[in-house]
Amino acid sequence: MNGIFSVFLGWAFANEQLTSKDAVAALIILASVFLITRNPTPRKLDPLLKAQKNAYSLSGLDREGI
């Protein structure tokens, strides 16, 4: 996202030219950020999180007490 912001600032304040390559690169960056952030918790970690929850419940401690 910083790259897109930098290109925008260059265009707005330094009169830099934007090319079609710049637009394609910006779209790829935005699509990548969308795909990464749409599901912030990977499914691979779910068994680990369940194991941690079970360990806390078996120990008699809650997460706030730690």
Side-chain angles (χ1 to χ4, degrees):
M1 296 299 294
N2 288 336
I4 295 173
F5 186 68
S6 298
V7 169
F8 172 75
L9 288 177
W11 171 78
F13 296 109
N15 295 326
E16 291 185 8
Q17 297 295 318
L18 295 179
T19 65
S20 59
K21 288 182 183 180
D22 296 327
V24 170
L27 289 175
I28 290 171
I29 291 170
L30 290 174
S32 299
V33 169
F34 171 76
L35 291 173
I36 290 170
T37 60
R38 71 180 178 149
N39 187 11
T41 305
R43 296 185 189 271
K44 293 178 183 177
L45 294 180
D46 286 346
L48 178 61
L49 294 175
K50 289 179 184 177
Q52 286 177 344
K53 184 177 177 182
N54 289 337
Y56 283 119
S57 65
L58 292 175
S59 67
L61 298 173
D62 59 359
R63 297 186 129 215
E64 289 80 21
I66 296 177

